[in-house]
Amino acid sequence: MSVVSLLTRGSSAGLLRLGEPAAQAGASPPATRQRRSRWRDPRMWLGVLLVVASVVAGAKVLAAADDTVAVWQVVHDLPAGGAVHSSDMRVTRAHFDEADVAAQYLLADEPITPGAHATRDLHAGEMLAVAAVSSTSSPLRRQLPLGVPSGAAPADLRAGDHVEVWAVADPSNGAAGAARPEPRRVLADVVVLSVGSSLSGASGDRQVLVGLTGDVDVSVVLGQVTGASVVLVRLAG
């Protein structure tokens, strides 16, 4: 081999070592994949729509929850004619579809008028209607206490119940051999205002307070119950 050939081979080898490898130098540049814009990705838009739908639904739920008004709610049963105080009420929130329906109930931001009374029996849990209370003179103008013997009234008698008042004459008060008087209904329908415990000095008796309207003749009632045993018959409500 000639010296010129060796120099030529050495020079060529040196050029290869200083530059890129032959395989790389002659190779084509790597192909690049064209990326799709994220704004054109339907999955991204689907996610955006789901988020927007969730926000709108949540806003509607919150708006419906806030679309309520505070009204008075009866805590316990109250009889017709009985006094109505704020302590007998609690505040509750209710949703009304129509304004005229909401106007039928007393809003909690309106205080209960002093001297107010129930125009009908009120039951625990009901919302206080405007027509259910009045500050004018109560139709039950008088309260009559009755001493009721044990067993002569329902054991679970309570305020708000409506009862008949019967007078049962004591046979020992009549003349010997005389016919026993028939029981007499004294009052056909009166409301119980309160039920007390056993009266001191009266064996087993308890005081029951009933409300009387203005057309009741109290003197007649007292004449019929004096000397007789009082029996209360609860009316089905």
Side-chain angles (χ1 to χ4, degrees), residues 110-122:
E110 301 176 4
I112 303 297
T113 305
H117 63 271
T119 60
R120 60 172 176 80
D121 293 341
L122 300 177

Side-chain angles (χ1 to χ4, degrees), residues 44-69:
M44 187 199 72
W45 286 109
L46 178 60
V48 171
L49 290 177
L50 291 176
V51 172
V52 172
S54 300
V55 172
V56 172
K60 289 185 177 180
V61 171
L62 291 177
D66 292 339
D67 189 18
T68 58
V69 293

Side-chain angles (χ1 to χ4, degrees), residues 19-41:
E20 294 181 354
Q24 293 184 0
S28 301
T32 57
R33 179 180 299 175
Q34 185 178 1
R35 296 186 178 181
R36 180 183 298 175
S37 176
R38 293 183 60 186
W39 294 106
R40 298 179 181 177
D41 191 344

Side-chain angles (χ1 to χ4, degrees), residues 81-82 114-119 133-142 212 214:
H117 63 271
T119 60
V133 291
S134 174
S135 56
T136 60
S137 298
S138 171
L140 302 180
R141 299 179 180 177
R142 288 164 291 185
L212 302 179

